[in-house]
Structure formats: C-alpha cells, structure tokens
Amino acid sequence: MSRNRRGLALLVTVALALAGCTADPKPREAPRPTPAPGETPSVTPGPAGVGDPYFPTAGNSGYDVDRYILKVRYDPATDELRGTATVRATATSELALFHLDLAGLTVRRVTVDDAPARHARDGAELVVTPAAPVRVGSAFTVEVGYDGRPVPLRNETIGDGGWLHTADGAVALGQPESASTWFPVNDHPSDKAAYDFEITVPKGLVAVANGVPKGQRAASDGWTTWRWSEAAPMASYLSTVVIGKYRTSTGEHQGKPVFSAVASTLPRGAADGSVARTLEVADYLESVFGPYPFDAYGGVVVDEPRIRYALETQSRPVYSADFFRSGENTGVVAHELAHQWFGDSVSVARWEDIWLNEGLATYAEWLWAEHQGRDTAQAEFDKRYASSTDRIWQVPPGAPGVANLFSESVYERGGMTVHALRMTVGDDAFFRLVKTWAAEKRNGNATTAEFVSTAERVSGQQLDDFFAAWLHGTERPPPPTRR
C-alpha cells in the first residue's frame, strides 16, 4: 500500500474494529493424537480465526484453499450483487463444520461436494455443516450461492474498505480486509489460492480483476461478462474488482498480457502516462529483485474520493487518482510494483511482519529515483535519518502493534532499515539477498525471523544486534558504516 504524498490522506492506521479484534487472540488449534489402527478419528469443528496475534478473528483454521471460482453479476443501478462462489480446498483437520468469512449478503444455498449443507451466520462468519464430516487430508468443494447489497467494512482512519458502490459502478479494495464483503473466503494472507473471475455487468461498463484477461462475452440481454484468471497463489486482500467507465489499454510484454484502465472521468495526461510506464518500472525492478513473478502486467486508476491510497492488488495495482493530480508520478508505481515481489509473491504469514512488505517497497522507490537520475538511495536515507521524528523511533517496525500497522515507522523506518542492512553487509551480499529472498519464498509466506536467517546465511554475518536495533529498538540507532 502507498500513502498519498499530497496530504490528502493521513498516515494509515488500522483500528482493531476493522477485524472485530476486541478479545484476546484466539489460540491456534491444538494438535490431536493420531488414532490407533482401526480407531475412528475424532471429528472437530474448524475454528474461526487462524491465530494471527493482530487480527485473531481473521481467516479460518481447518483447511487450505486451492482455488476460488467466482461468478458474480452486479447492477450498479440497484447496487445488487448476485454471486456463486466455488471454493476448492483440502482439510487439514477432521471437520464436522467449518467457517468462511462473509460480511453482509444473504446466503441462499450451500453445498459440500454437491450435497446440500446446513449453514448459519455468526456475525461476519458463514458456518457450514456438511452432510458428512470432511476427513483430514481430503479434498472438498464448497459452493455458495448468495446475493444482496455489499456493505463495506468501516474504518474512520482509511475510509471504507471492501466493496464500494461508486457513481458508475463499484470498486472492491482494502487492506487488511476486503474480500469478505463480496464473496465467502478464508480471509487471511496465510491461505493463498488461485482465482478465476467471471464478472457480469451492464453493457458499456468495464470489469477489471486480477491476473490474465480471458476475454469478454456480450449477451443479448444487455449484459457483458468479463473473465480473468490469476494462477499464482494470491492472498485474499489482494483480490480486486473495478467496475465502471474506464478507458483501457492492452498489449504484450515478454510474452505476457498487459491490461490497464484509467477512469474516464479523468483528463488524459498524468495518470495515463504514469501507468503507461509500468513496464519500464517493472523491467528495472526485475533487474534488482529477479524475475517478475506473475503472468500479467497492468494498473488501474480510480477516481473515487473514498479511496485515497494505492494498493498492490496482484498483477494489477489500483491507484487513487489523487497521486496524479499534480503530474506524473512513477514513484507510487515503483512502490506498488515492488510489492508484486514483496507482499504479493512473498506474503506475510502474520500481519505483525508487514514491514517486510512496506520497507522493501519503500526502498524500491528510492532505488527507482536513483535510477532516474534523482537523489541516490543514500541521500534519501540521510535525509530521512536526519529529519525523522521521535515517533518513528518509538514505534518498532518489526512489532508496530495494530494501531501503527501502516504508520510512518513501518514505511520510512522500514525503508531505512533496508538501506542500513545494505550498508552493513555490502552491496554484493545485499543484492544477492533480495534476489534470494524473492526466489526462495516465491508464491509463499514468510516471517521476519526467516528474513533475518536468510540475511545471515547470504551475508555470512551475524545480524541479531543489527535487527534488534533497527526493527525492535525504541531509540534511533547509530548510522551504520558502509561496508
């Protein structure tokens, strides 16, 4: 995520209420003993929540999702959404029942492996009881039919998250939660999955989602279905749908499709020009971080006053128009494209480690600026180190707390931490490190502890004291000496 540098949005802070986090974190499901030969294994519910210390009710335990197949029909005139979600998963526990995250909307039917299943609502949880328990290790398919008017998740700090009804369509966007406002989902980045989208909208509107464009089909009844597919595992908050009147551009780059869209309410100019440089920026970042991790390129610019940020939606970032009102801005493009490596391909296993996303993406902005002949990364570090407020140093980016999850410490001190690491280990080890990290953790999840271990292995240095000061200290560390 990028913060708006023009002052139209304050530093992003996440309130506990966004995830309903008013209770102590839920414990992870305790392991159960292996049954003796001939003994019937115990069958238990799959509990709500994956045990994330910051958002204990987010996501669900007991299964891993392999793929979502989402077919939705949306009418902006009535704000009515009708959908069928097919969820293909594997049970990691024996399941008498299990949960999916779904905020609002009315569930009409649920089947598990084609058999009708009982279902109930518990707040923003959809509780499914299959006709027969799902055994551990079994693949199973859930199909949910639902409809209604999507309700965004409210947050006074960053605005509404999730499905937003706009003047000419809708935008589904938000972090750390968004997906559950428009389809049933295991809504935590630790359970990544592939996605197929079929989005049906009135003729004349564009419907953009993640991944490879698979074409559009117009029907005689005045509706058009847009199809998209993201084959690489994707965290649920990175899924998006943008519906409305947009001017689109298409192409191909390195054998991969390019699809971008800019709100038609915006004059042609800075927004179009900035997004048009996506490929140039991506190619530069590829030279630093290693191969681009996805099968499509692009970007979407929305003109919606409730969206004052940019988000690294997988393969196709979404940008607020506010970033381009003063002219071309490729810095935000570099930030969101860097997230394709760090945040999207390599995703956090828990939200506490968000600095791994934002620190590396912030540093990518500095590298891009230097590549463009502007200030060097060293100059950017020096400027921020000298002018930073006490608040940055009082909030440790390695454990910022929920209230500071998207604070300046996570972004700016996170970026300074990355540069300080480069100075400590030297350029050769540093650039080998970022490529190694992107390659070894590709399509997976990661923690700060794993990053520290990788940095020590690649550099051959013991770095506990360095990371303790820069990630977990509450005072300004002394500036490192370049190796």
Side-chain angles (χ1 to χ4, degrees):
M1 177 185 284
S2 292
R3 296 171 283 115
N4 192 305
R5 288 157 176 74
R6 298 185 64 247
L8 294 175
L10 298 175
L11 293 174
V12 180
T13 306
V14 178
L16 285 167
L18 184 60
C21 300
T22 57
D24 292 334
K26 297 181 182 179
R28 291 188 182 276
E29 184 179 11
R32 292 180 297 281
T34 302
E39 179 183 350
T40 301
S42 61
V43 181
T44 61
V50 297
D52 190 309
Y54 283 13
F55 300 100
T57 63
N60 304 282
S61 301
Y63 61 90
D64 287 327
V65 178
D66 175 65
R67 181 176 293 271
Y68 294 94
I69 302 171
L70 306 175
K71 300 179 180 180
V72 299
R73 180 183 177 104
Y74 181 68
D75 187 355
T78 61
D79 193 25
E80 291 284 340
L81 176 77
R82 185 167 74 247
T84 299
T86 301
V87 184
R88 296 177 180 169
T90 299
T92 57
S93 301
E94 296 83 20
L95 298 176
L97 60 83
F98 56 89
H99 293 237
L100 290 162
D101 299 301
L102 185 65
L105 302 174
T106 300
V107 175
R108 300 296 181 182
R109 61 180 179 82
V110 179
T111 64
V112 177
D113 291 335
D114 296 323
R118 288 186 289 128
H119 59 89
R121 301 301 291 272
D122 182 8
E125 301 279 339
L126 172 62
V127 184
V128 177
T129 304
V134 180
R135 298 299 180 183
V136 63
S138 298
F140 64 103
T141 300
V142 185
E143 187 172 287
V144 181
Y146 58 99
D147 57 49
R149 294 184 176 181
V151 178
L153 299 165
R154 302 293 181 181
N155 185 294
E156 293 182 358
T157 304
I158 62 173
D160 299 345
W163 190 281
L164 300 176
H165 182 207
T166 65
D168 60 356
V171 178
L173 195 69
Q175 187 182 16
E177 293 180 307
S178 168
S180 62
T181 64
W182 64 283
F183 66 94
V185 60
N186 194 9
D187 206 3
H188 190 271
S190 60
D191 191 5
K192 300 166 69 170
Y195 284 72
D196 293 317
F197 304 89
E198 291 189 11
I199 308 157
T200 302
V201 295
K203 182 180 179 181
L205 297 184
V206 172
V208 185
N210 309 85
V212 174
K214 293 292 185 177
Q216 52 187 284
R217 181 179 64 253
S220 59
D221 61 357
W223 293 76
T224 301
T225 299
W226 295 71
R227 298 169 57 241
W228 305 84
S229 181
E230 178 51 81
M234 179 167 70
S236 54
Y237 81 93
L238 299 172
S239 64
T240 189
V241 169
V242 178
I243 298 168
K245 297 179 180 178
Y246 288 79
R247 51 180 177 268
T248 62
S249 59
T250 61
E252 185 177 290
H253 184 65
Q254 298 185 6
K256 299 177 180 181
V258 181
F259 189 105
S260 294
V262 177
S264 62
T265 53
L266 298 173
R268 292 185 182 274
D272 302 80
S274 299
V275 173
R277 297 185 68 183
T278 290
L279 303 178
E280 177 190 355
V281 178
D283 284 351
Y284 167 70
L285 295 178
E286 188 172 56
S287 73
V288 179
F289 301 141
Y292 179 75
F294 301 121
D295 291 334
Y297 298 88
V300 180
V301 181
V302 299
D303 188 13
E304 165 53 53
R306 290 168 293 177
I307 296 175
R308 298 167 295 178
Y309 57 90
L311 189 64
E312 62 270 19
T313 43
Q314 191 157 306
S315 74
R316 193 163 289 109
V318 175
Y319 307 93
S320 166
D322 293 339
F323 284 102
F324 311 110
R325 298 199 192 277
S326 295
E328 192 170 289
N329 181 349
T330 57
V332 67
V333 175
H335 186 107
E336 301 309 324
L337 287 179
H339 276 312
Q340 303 306 303
W341 284 265
F342 308 118
D344 296 12
S345 179
V346 185
S347 302
V348 293
R350 59 188 185 187
W351 284 107
E352 182 180 36
D353 295 319
I354 189 66
W355 87 274
L356 287 169
N357 297 358
E358 300 302 344
L360 284 160
T362 297
Y363 194 61
E365 288 186 69
W366 302 359
L367 293 175
W368 170 249
E370 180 174 336
H371 178 70
Q372 291 292 291
R374 298 193 292 274
D375 284 349
T376 65
Q378 182 65 52
E380 293 286 357
F381 173 89
D382 292 341
K383 178 171 57 179
R384 286 163 172 79
Y385 185 85
S387 64
S388 56
T389 64
D390 290 342
R391 178 65 175 167
I392 285 182
W393 305 108
Q394 292 167 353
V395 176
V402 175
N404 294 300
L405 194 63
F406 296 125
S407 67
E408 192 173 6
S409 175
V410 170
Y411 285 76
E412 300 298 333
R413 183 172 165 183
M416 283 190 280
T417 298
V418 175
H419 186 74
L421 176 62
R422 175 183 173 184
M423 295 175 70
T424 299
V425 302
D427 283 3
D428 180 66
F430 174 80
F431 288 108
R432 281 191 290 112
L433 166 62
V434 292
K435 286 185 176 179
T436 299
W437 180 247
E440 292 184 351
K441 295 297 183 179
R442 180 170 179 160
N443 292 335
N445 296 89
T447 65
T448 295
E450 291 173 321
F451 182 80
V452 172
S453 177
T454 304
E456 291 183 334
R457 170 167 55 87
V458 172
S459 69
Q461 297 184 43
Q462 206 283 334
L463 296 168
D464 285 352
D465 291 345
F466 169 85
F467 283 110
W470 282 91
L471 289 182
H472 299 287
T474 55
E475 296 179 353
R476 186 194 312 252
T481 302
R482 179 174 290 277
R483 183 180 174 86

